[in-house]
Amino acid sequence: MKPVLVDSNVVLDVVTEDPEWAAWSSAALARCADDAELVINPIVYAEVSIGFARIEELEAALPAAWFRREDLPWEAAFLAGKCFLRYRRRQGTRRSPLPDVYIGAHAAIRGYRLLTRDAARFATYFPALEILAPP
């Protein structure tokens, strides 16, 4: 089965025990882990790190036995730049690419599925990406 790149919002739902999303995110992670390798990249790692005071706490929340760490591919960085250009041409106001653009580009370039609860943004820029999200 294709690996699954896990978006930071899913991990944060679980580690913060988000009252609205923790149950869905936890169940989705467990389902994906049953039949696929879970992957995170430095962008996800950085976004999740905000909730931790020490790197040891973060490492405990993102154990390498559960999440394979993968660098952002150069091709994904190129694709992220092109997606950001599209965003700016649509009157987007941000001055630098959003983390989700890098995350989506990584999944798209590698042919991974993406586990997120923010499907709309990813679908806009990566229409061929297989997105696993709440209905």
Side-chain angles (χ1 to χ4, degrees):
M1 199 61 147
K2 287 195 276 185
V4 175
L5 185 62
V6 181
D7 192 7
S8 52
N9 58 26
V10 173
V11 175
L12 287 168
D13 290 344
V14 175
V15 299
T16 65
E17 299 177 357
D18 182 274
E20 184 177 354
W21 290 106
W24 182 88
S25 292
S26 181
L29 270 173
R31 277 192 309 276
C32 289
D34 281 346
D35 70 356
E37 186 173 28
L38 302 177
V39 178
I40 60 171
N41 65 25
I43 308 291
V44 172
Y45 192 90
E47 288 187 315
V48 173
S49 76
I50 293 169
F52 296 89
R54 298 176 48 237
I55 194 168
E56 294 83 4
E57 296 168 358
L58 176 60
E59 287 291 320
L62 295 171
W66 295 358
F67 297 96
R68 178 167 55 93
R69 285 141 167 81
E70 188 172 296
D71 290 335
L72 187 71
W74 291 102
E75 299 86 355
F78 181 83
L79 178 57
K82 296 304 174 198
C83 290
F84 183 70
L85 180 60
R86 234 174 96 206
Y87 164 82
R88 291 287 298 185
R89 286 182 175 158
R90 290 177 157 177
Q91 308 307 310
T93 58
R94 300 277 175 117
R95 310 262 317 137
S96 60
L98 306 169
D100 285 350
V101 175
Y102 289 108
I103 293 166
H106 184 169
I109 288 294
R110 290 286 192 238
Y112 296 164
R113 296 173 292 161
L114 178 65
L115 178 61
T116 184
R117 51 176 177 78
D118 187 16
R121 181 179 312 187
F122 291 105
T124 299
Y125 294 100
F126 308 101
L129 183 61
E130 185 179 349
I131 300 171
L132 309 171

